[in-house]
Amino acid sequence: MAKKVAILTGGGDCPGLNAVIRAATLKLTRAGYEMVGVRRGWRGLLDNDYIPLDLTHISGILHRGGTILGTSRTNPMKEEGGVDLLVDNLRQNEIWATIAIGGDDTLGVANQLRGKFALNMVGVPKTIDNDLSGTDYTFGFDTAVQIATENIDRLHSTAESHDRVIVVEIMGRHTGWITIMAGIAGGADAILIPEFDMSVEEVCEVVRKRHDRGKDFSIIAVSEGAKLITKEGEDKMVTQSDEVDAFGNVKLGGVANLLAKEIERRTGFETRSTILGHIQRGGTPTAHDRVLATRYGAKAADMVQNEEFGLMAALQGDEIVAVPLEVAVGERKLVRQEFWDLAQTFFAG
Ligand code: F6P
């Protein structure tokens, strides 16, 4: 009888998920495995919610954003009896191995299930935030950077026409990867990210210096998770509410609005704010993300066939390799000093 392999997508969606599903399903189906798609991440394993996956299901999905399987931020570790139910369901449905495509939350669960129950888990690194360790890049990141950069370009022309400062808020819950890359690519005049401090007054100085040189407009890129430092010793992260999800994550958003108000109050220059939000996660993946996601999906299939469990497909240099899941979810990958130094070179430029 063919061995059954489940595949699931958990956490926030991102462009390229379908490319992973396609590559892994194609390779494993051709190798004689039975593929089953789990609906809505870990939720589907608790609810026994599956769809069969064969070559017809994966046709025409390479370029499509989102995930054909659906996703959720369900954390089985936080549900009463959740883990036992999940393990029972896997056994009763004779699911031999699971490919979990996700970020630190989803892969953290896969790592714990591997550690506690020796389940056959393979991970694939997904997140627009690019904050997973053990891999140089996650898929979805390139697309998000591209979208953010295009938007910065658009904001430039309207800011210049109106002699305005525009603050653009970019996603990235714990890290400033998307913001710093899009900020550098889009020529932002100042960039605020969680990893390095830049106070409101320092931003205002940049804006004033530009005006002194006859540049009456500025673009400020701010990461949703950046601290708003109003004066020495006074900083805050801006959240939409006090609510947290099943993984303890707060809902960020709104720092751009507060920053814009402060800039206008302190400098007297007309300032607007734009929050890019989920626009950065939607739509078709870039060619780069399609190729990377396809390589990850193919690697995950190889790992299943070679019974290399407890590992995640990863990009190191130009090689696709396998790294322990615990490395991937251990320490968060932060923006390095090198990128911050580079970005700063152009502040007030
Ligand atoms: O982790 C990806 C991400 O897009 C973060 O950048 C952002 O903070 C979060 O997800 C938003 O989550 P949700 O889709 O639940 O609003």
Side-chain angles (χ1 to χ4, degrees):
M1 210 172 72
K3 281 181 174 161
K4 210 187 266 185
V5 178
I7 187 162
L8 64 86
T9 53
D13 71 328
C14 85
L17 286 164
N18 291 325
V20 180
I21 297 166
R22 171 178 173 266
T25 302
L26 186 94
K27 277 198 95 170
L28 287 170
T29 304
R30 286 208 179 131
Y33 293 81
E34 182 186 338
M35 293 299 290
V36 53
V38 181
R39 302 269 302 132
R40 299 188 195 87
W42 298 117
R43 181 85 260 147
L45 283 182
L46 296 175
D47 295 348
N48 271 331
D49 192 359
Y50 311 109
I51 53 167
L53 276 183
D54 61 27
L55 299 187
T56 55
H57 295 101
I58 55 162
S59 168
I61 66 169
L62 172 63
H63 64 286
R64 277 172 55 190
T67 161
I68 59 163
L69 298 176
T71 186
S72 71
R73 294 197 188 274
T74 300
N75 183 354
M77 306 291 172
K78 284 282 158 67
E79 301 208 3
E80 178 97 34
V83 180
D84 294 337
L85 178 64
L86 188 151
V87 174
D88 268 5
N89 286 345
L90 281 173
R91 295 212 169 114
Q92 272 175 24
N93 288 287
E94 295 175 338
I95 294 172
W96 174 70
T98 304
I99 299 174
I101 314 171
D104 53 353
D105 293 336
T106 304
L107 298 183
V109 172
N111 186 40
Q112 289 186 59
L113 292 173
R114 174 73 188 160
K116 287 192 180 132
F117 303 96
L119 295 178
N120 295 340
M121 292 282 156
V122 163
V124 176
K126 162 246 66 154
T127 167
I128 61 165
D129 295 351
N130 194 39
D131 58 358
L132 277 172
S133 288
T135 187
D136 291 352
Y137 291 101
T138 54
F139 71 87
F141 172 62
D142 184 69
T143 308
V145 171
Q146 185 62 34
I147 294 169
T149 305
E150 276 167 23
N151 280 283
I152 291 177
D153 289 348
R154 287 175 190 279
L155 292 171
H156 252 121
S157 60
T158 173
E160 188 168 7
S161 305
H162 285 266
D163 291 343
R164 280 174 176 160
V165 179
I166 298 190
V167 181
V168 53
E169 182 173 312
I170 295 173
M171 271 188 171
R173 186 178 270 140
H174 308 286
T175 62
W177 282 108
I178 311 173
T179 309
I180 199 132
M181 294 303 193
I184 292 170
D189 302 299
I191 300 172
L192 289 87
I193 59 173
E195 290 90 336
F196 299 92
D197 286 351
M198 183 166 190
S199 68
V200 174
E201 200 40 47
E202 285 170 309
V203 176
C204 290
E205 254 327 281
V206 165
V207 171
R208 288 189 199 103
K209 273 191 194 150
R210 282 177 55 78
H211 272 71
D212 290 348
R213 290 196 295 110
K215 295 275 185 188
D216 294 333
F217 69 97
S218 296
I219 299 290
I220 313 299
V222 59
S223 185
E224 60 177 358
K227 282 180 292 197
L228 190 71
I229 307 173
T230 41
K231 61 174 152 172
E232 217 183 302
E234 270 187 34
D235 60 57
K236 65 170 173 189
M237 237 172 68
V238 183
T239 57
Q240 292 185 44
S241 72
D242 295 336
E243 259 174 61
V244 290
D245 68 15
F247 291 93
N249 298 311
V250 288
K251 209 186 273 175
L252 295 169
V255 64
N257 300 337
L258 298 185
L259 180 57
K261 274 197 192 120
E262 273 297 302
I263 294 171
E264 188 166 284
R265 190 177 70 78
R266 293 180 190 213
T267 65
F269 302 130
E270 193 181 18
T271 306
R272 295 282 193 269
S273 56
T274 298
I275 300 176
L276 298 186
H278 293 82
I279 294 277
Q280 295 157 102
R281 286 224 312 250
T284 186
T286 58
H288 177 89
D289 271 338
R290 292 182 205 187
V291 174
L292 183 59
T294 299
R295 293 177 80 194
Y296 282 150
K299 179 69 177 178
D302 292 345
M303 287 155 73
V304 168
Q305 283 182 266
N306 299 332
E307 303 193 14
E308 294 177 283
F309 298 119
L311 302 175
M312 178 188 83
L315 180 73
Q316 291 184 355
D318 195 33
E319 299 289 314
I320 300 288
V321 297
V323 299
L325 275 171
E326 64 210 22
V327 168
V329 300
E331 214 173 299
R332 194 162 278 134
K333 187 178 69 195
L334 302 178
V335 170
R336 296 193 302 277
Q337 183 77 43
E338 173 204 340
F339 287 107
W340 178 241
D341 292 344
L342 178 67
Q344 277 183 303
T345 313
F346 301 95
F347 289 1

